[in-house]
Amino acid sequence: PFGYKFSWNPRGVFSAAMSAARYRKDGAIVDVPAGQAYARENTARFDLCPGFEVFCVPNRDSTTYASVYGVDDVETILRGTLRYRGFAEMLRGLIALGLLSDTPIEVANAPMSWPGVLRAAVRSESGDTTVLANEVNAFLVHEAFPNAESALVVKGLRWLGLFDEATSFVWRGSMVDTVCALLESKLSYGPGERDA
């Protein structure tokens, strides 16, 4: 669902994604607040070739690179991260659902299952996973997600096992660390795979 496997700790990927960014576009400085780099208005789509759709996301302070590369007078300079389609949508969905919160929560107050996490996020009381999936979708649409994007996020959450009580849930002190543990188990490189 992310179009991505983690060759390093997912926490580092999310930390970079949640950082503020700055770049110059058409001569003007653009500041992107922390947690907004993956917002729709801050990503640029590139169709490099058929079936190879990627998005560029601003990555930290790009303006410092103008002097490093001797291009101080360029109108536009952007240091970006390229991600496949699906990554930005999943990241926006995780943020909207509160799954990337780094606020520490005591184990006694922590959710005990992935469906429990989603129920709390969307204030659902349903034990039926189909109903819960529909409620998560409605929540995302309410949070200004287009229907196709919210459906993609729900499909990704289902693939990760977040609607299944049997999916391993080990509380790691915060939601982001708990999500990272799940992603490490689901999206790490397997034997013989490597980051190219």
Side-chain angles (χ1 to χ4, degrees):
F2 284 90
Y4 188 88
K5 283 194 169 189
F6 293 95
S7 59
W8 59 304
N9 184 328
R11 182 73 139 106
V13 173
F14 293 142
S15 177
M18 299 300 283
S19 294
R22 170 179 267 212
Y23 60 96
R24 189 167 51 214
K25 181 178 181 181
D26 301 325
I29 297 297
V30 177
D31 285 307
V32 178
Q36 294 297 311
Y38 280 83
R40 229 174 272 100
E41 64 272 13
N42 294 323
T43 61
R45 177 180 160 183
F46 295 95
D47 291 319
L48 299 177
C49 63
F52 195 64
E53 180 182 20
V54 295
F55 289 81
C56 180
V57 180
N59 188 333
R60 308 216 186 209
D61 188 352
S62 303
T63 61
T64 61
Y65 290 94
S67 62
V68 170
Y69 292 108
V71 291
D72 292 307
D73 47 348
V74 296
E75 290 291 308
T76 299
I77 188 161
L78 169 69
R79 173 184 178 233
T81 299
L82 296 178
R83 295 286 183 247
Y84 291 112
R85 183 176 189 277
F87 189 92
E89 293 86 348
M90 285 300 299
L91 193 71
R92 286 194 291 270
L94 294 175
I95 291 168
L97 291 165
L99 300 181
L100 296 186
S101 171
D102 61 359
T103 302
I105 300 172
E106 295 298 322
V107 170
N109 299 324
M112 294 295 126
S113 71
W114 288 112
V117 167
L118 295 178
R119 280 187 206 97
V122 301
R123 295 180 175 88
S124 172
E125 295 182 15
S126 177
D128 182 302
T129 58
T130 301
V131 171
L132 179 59
N134 290 335
E135 290 175 337
V136 168
N137 189 69
F139 174 85
L140 293 171
V141 169
H142 182 264
E143 293 294 309
F145 281 67
N147 280 329
E149 189 174 305
S150 64
L152 180 82
V153 173
V154 169
K155 182 179 177 183
L157 297 174
R158 189 177 309 286
W159 184 89
L160 289 169
L162 271 63
F163 293 101
D164 186 350
E165 293 287 349
T167 301
S168 177
F169 184 87
V170 180
W171 184 249
R172 300 289 173 99
S174 69
M175 276 312 313
V176 69
D177 290 323
T178 305
V179 168
C180 286
L182 175 67
L183 294 179
E184 284 174 7
S185 72
K186 296 270 191 175
L187 295 172
S188 291
Y189 285 96
E193 293 181 320
R194 66 183 181 97
D195 191 2

